[in-house]
Amino acid sequence: MIYLDNAATTKLEDCAFEAMLPFLKDEYGNASAVYEIARRSKKAVFNARKQCGKLIGASPSEIFFTSGGTESDNWALIGAYDSYRRKAGADGDANSNLLSAGCGHIITTAIEHHAIIRTAEYLKSCGVSVTFLKPDSEGFISPEQVVSALREDTFLVSVMTANNEIGTIEPVCEIADAVHALRKDILVHTDSVQAFGQIHMDGFAGHVDLLSASAHKLGGPKGCGLLFIRDGLKVAPFIRGGMQESGRRAGTENIPGIVGFGAASEKACLVLDEKIKKEVMLRDELLSRILNMDGVIINGPYEEKGCSKRLPGNISVCVTDIEGESALIMLDREEICASSGSACASGAREPSHVLKAIGRSDDESKGSLRFTISEHNTSDEIKRAAEVIADVVCRLRSGRKHL
Ligand code: PLP
């Protein structure tokens, strides 16, 4: 099998597996209890907080573990809204201020993952005004665009760090700085699920207020994520109950998941330069072979070689005169795993909202293919994949001609 769908999920790293093993069986203590086995669990969670925080320059007290990227995104948006409503009420006469403050305004983008888009739509149904910024043709959102969309009642800006379909890396720190230069009270959130452990993000904690990440995108286990909350920030809890995670995210901790997330983050920190170099090399090799075919348009930013404004392992293209879904089935028969957009959207016949937002027609989007490479892929795999992709496209096009 040649696995080229690392944006959907990644293989568990050996170091994460090894670190998790004891906590799946013998080290079963509940981190909230007082005895020795529980203290070991608590210590392991604290260690993971340090390991994860290091990737973005955050202190352990700013890392809150969740069930994954989706929960972190929901918490960031809904928590910010709850805090805004409460603050509006607390500033004076509770009821009248709540009414006069209205439900506020948030700014996000038209190319976010559904975890953000659908949560923003939910807030809209609660009365919040939502601006979905449209990107340029390569998927970029500019700080100027964000600043010009600000309103007096804006309480949150959420712009993803890197796009899951087309790989565009947004200027998130510049956006956060531009917003904060004008208004310190507006929270800036970024969904870093695709970027965390994939690109350098060392200083992010010094710019944004909130940041989401997910373990299974960087060689950690599924079902574990985090929300970075800048020290001193009041964001209402999303899951209520016990006093875990400093009383901000209730529920007995997923200790094996958290420990695996920590180990995968520590490894990513150590090998990041090497990993990026290898992925860029393999990506450019596959991309140049794909671009040798007629009728291929690249989605997202592109420079001849080594584009640094695109996720290192991401290739997204639209291939004319083919159906992406048919290509995926034929690739699968040759044991090549790829995707035709985001994993959540494939299977659904709707054209991708991301491709639509960068100006692709429905017809072009139909032939979209995404290959996402990891440092575990090899040059031989890339060569074989390129041959099979060319053959599949050729067969699909000649089949169409004979219809
Ligand atoms: N945000 C982005 C950009 C993603 O790519 C994904 C998953 O693909 C998510 C959020 C959701 O993360 P999780 O699968 O951990 O819920």
Side-chain angles (χ1 to χ4, degrees), residues 60-213:
S61 61
E62 296 174 307
I63 301 294
F64 298 87
F65 290 112
T66 64
S67 66
T70 301
E71 184 191 322
S72 303
D73 285 345
N74 272 262
W75 183 8
L77 267 59
I78 295 170
Y81 170 65
D82 280 349
S83 299
Y84 169 75
R85 294 281 287 165
R86 205 154 316 170
K87 187 168 172 284
D91 280 346
D93 169 45
N95 292 330
S96 67
N97 266 5
L98 261 179
L99 288 176
S100 65
C103 295
H105 170 237
I106 67 171
I107 299 169
T108 186
T109 83
I111 56 165
E112 298 293 315
H113 188 269
H114 282 126
I116 293 287
I117 301 252
R118 298 213 169 116
T119 309
E121 280 164 357
Y122 164 73
L123 289 181
K124 202 167 169 184
S125 75
C126 300
V128 177
S129 298
V130 183
T131 301
F132 290 102
L133 296 173
K134 209 171 143 24
D136 70 10
S137 61
E138 292 186 321
F140 289 110
I141 301 288
S142 70
E144 296 74 31
Q145 240 182 312
V146 176
V147 164
S148 60
L150 292 174
R151 297 186 350 192
E152 205 183 316
D153 59 347
T154 307
F155 64 88
L156 179 78
V157 169
S158 180
V159 177
M160 69 200 318
T161 313
N163 186 268
N164 45 304
E165 290 188 43
I166 61 174
T168 310
I169 299 175
E170 302 294 347
V172 166
C173 294
E174 290 86 335
I175 289 172
D177 292 350
V179 170
H180 288 148
L182 294 171
R183 293 267 307 276
K184 295 234 175 333
D185 60 315
I186 296 176
L187 299 182
V188 178
H189 166 254
T190 186
D191 174 344
S192 300
V193 168
Q194 290 291 336
F196 193 80
Q198 309 294 342
I199 58 171
H200 285 286
M201 294 180 60
D202 324 19
F204 267 59
H207 296 269
V208 301
D209 300 294
L210 301 159
L211 179 152
S212 309

